[in-house]
Amino acid sequence: MADVQLDAIARACRVQIIRMLTHAGSGHPGGSLSVIDLLVSIVFGRLRHDPKRPDWPDRDRIVLSKGHAVPALYTVMARAGYFPESQLITLRKLGSPLQGHPDRVALPGIEAATGSLGQGLSVSLGMALGLKLATSPARVYCIMGDGELQEGQVWEAAMSAPKLGQPNSPLDNLTAIVDYNKIQLDDFTAKILDLEPLVAKWQAFGWPVQEIDGHDLGQIAKALDQAEATPGVPSLIVAHTVKGKGVSFMENNPAFHGKPPTKDQLEVALKEIEAGSIGD
């Protein structure tokens, strides 16, 4: 799919995210807006899947380890045909399958219940190894937040991944992506527990690492291509993003990690998203 089409989908998804969260009166706009270009690029740019058969054994998997950003995943899934877009407005409502964090039992197409941060990469390793042992062509995409990289379990998984399955079933079917928006719940990550030198740390564990602009659709596509073409080991993409991307008063603002917009802010946000260019 051409970048202009992906850009239009990402813009529409941003609109839905803002509407959903305002209607719900709770949720996480900042990280949902920062990750949406990555999700759109994966789902509409390369994912092998069938929304009518969400349990297809050879489907590619997405594990959204930063589960609080699931509104972004819901908008992409709805646009792809997993469920009607009209259902998005039920986010966080009692009995809705669209819970505040992913629920794989409630919603077909969700691969893992996440939100207890730091667990997604470990889950992804298990999936990737299982698929390799089953000689499946499927790939696994694990999307992590930067704040959750402060969890020790992430680094246990990072240390293990390049070694698992060697030599006959290496996890080169796994692409991990860090949504590096540099803000977590309480403040900027550098003020809480600085992650740098992030690239060098992953490289030290044996991962090939690419750094990209996580809002540049061309760079995202190129990085995903390179990761898929790298044999023998899993790959990491460090995607530099802007928390709250597309809405001026949310961008780089820690206050909007977990605070939805008011109805007045909704109108401003929608105008900015519809008038702006996602790649700018």
Side-chain angles (χ1 to χ4, degrees):
M1 187 176 290
D3 284 359
V4 65
Q5 294 171 291
L6 295 176
D7 181 272
I9 293 172
R11 190 192 310 274
C13 287
R14 278 186 166 86
V15 167
Q16 291 281 29
I17 288 167
I18 295 297
R19 285 177 172 161
M20 292 162 63
L21 293 173
T22 305
H23 192 270
S26 63
H28 299 80
S32 298
L33 293 172
S34 68
V35 79
I36 193 65
D37 296 312
L38 296 166
L39 283 170
V40 166
S41 295
I42 294 169
V43 172
F44 295 99
R46 65 195 54 243
L47 201 71
R48 298 172 64 257
H49 66 129
D50 183 351
K52 292 182 172 55
R53 289 190 299 155
D55 59 349
W56 175 39
D58 284 338
R59 70 191 181 280
D60 290 342
R61 273 80 164 166
I62 293 178
V63 175
L64 184 65
S65 188
K66 47 174 284 179
H68 55 280
V70 75
L73 182 57
Y74 291 153
T75 63
V76 171
M77 291 176 66
R79 177 58 66 102
Y82 282 89
F83 57 88
E85 289 190 86
S86 59
Q87 196 172 353
L88 289 171
I89 205 68
T90 69
L91 174 72
R92 289 179 168 247
K93 298 296 190 293
L94 187 63
S96 170
L98 308 184
Q99 292 298 296
H101 291 78
D103 185 340
R104 64 180 300 274
V105 175
L107 184 63
I110 293 291
E111 299 292 351
T114 56
S116 295
L117 295 176
Q119 298 178 357
L121 186 59
S122 298
V123 172
S124 299
L125 299 194
M127 286 183 179
L129 181 57
L131 291 167
K132 274 286 187 172
L133 294 175
T135 65
S136 170
R139 298 189 59 79
V140 179
Y141 297 91
C142 177
I143 303 178
M144 298 175 285
D146 48 4
E148 77 168 313
L149 298 190
Q150 296 161 352
E151 296 279 357
Q153 184 174 341
V154 173
W155 298 101
E156 295 176 46
M159 181 170 57
S160 301
K163 301 176 177 65
L164 283 179
Q166 297 288 358
N168 298 319
S169 303
L171 304 191
D172 50 12
N173 58 342
L174 170 63
T175 300
I177 304 169
V178 177
D179 178 19
Y180 201 4
N181 61 38
K182 303 170 186 67
I183 296 175
Q184 59 190 96
L185 173 62
D186 295 325
D187 208 332
F188 290 87
T189 54
K191 293 182 179 180
I192 303 296
L193 186 60
D194 196 357
L195 300 170
E196 294 298 334
L198 185 59
V199 170
K201 289 174 182 175
W202 287 84
Q203 289 174 330
F205 286 141
W207 291 70
V209 182
Q210 303 175 70
E211 278 191 278
I212 65 168
D213 177 344
H215 300 302
D216 185 311
L217 299 173
Q219 288 189 34
I220 296 170
K222 184 178 179 180
L224 292 171
D225 285 342
Q226 185 170 325
E228 190 169 347
T230 301
V233 288
S235 292
L236 179 77
I237 299 171
V238 175
H240 293 274
T241 60
V242 175
K243 195 137 186 173
K245 174 67 174 176
V247 179
S248 62
F249 59 87
M250 291 185 179
E251 288 189 354
N252 288 314
N253 186 349
F256 284 96
H257 171 88
K259 183 178 73 172
T262 64
K263 290 184 179 179
D264 289 341
Q265 290 173 329
L266 167 67
E267 298 305 319
V268 175
L270 293 181
K271 288 178 182 177
E272 290 187 354
I273 292 170
E274 290 167 353
S277 175
I278 298 301
D280 286 352

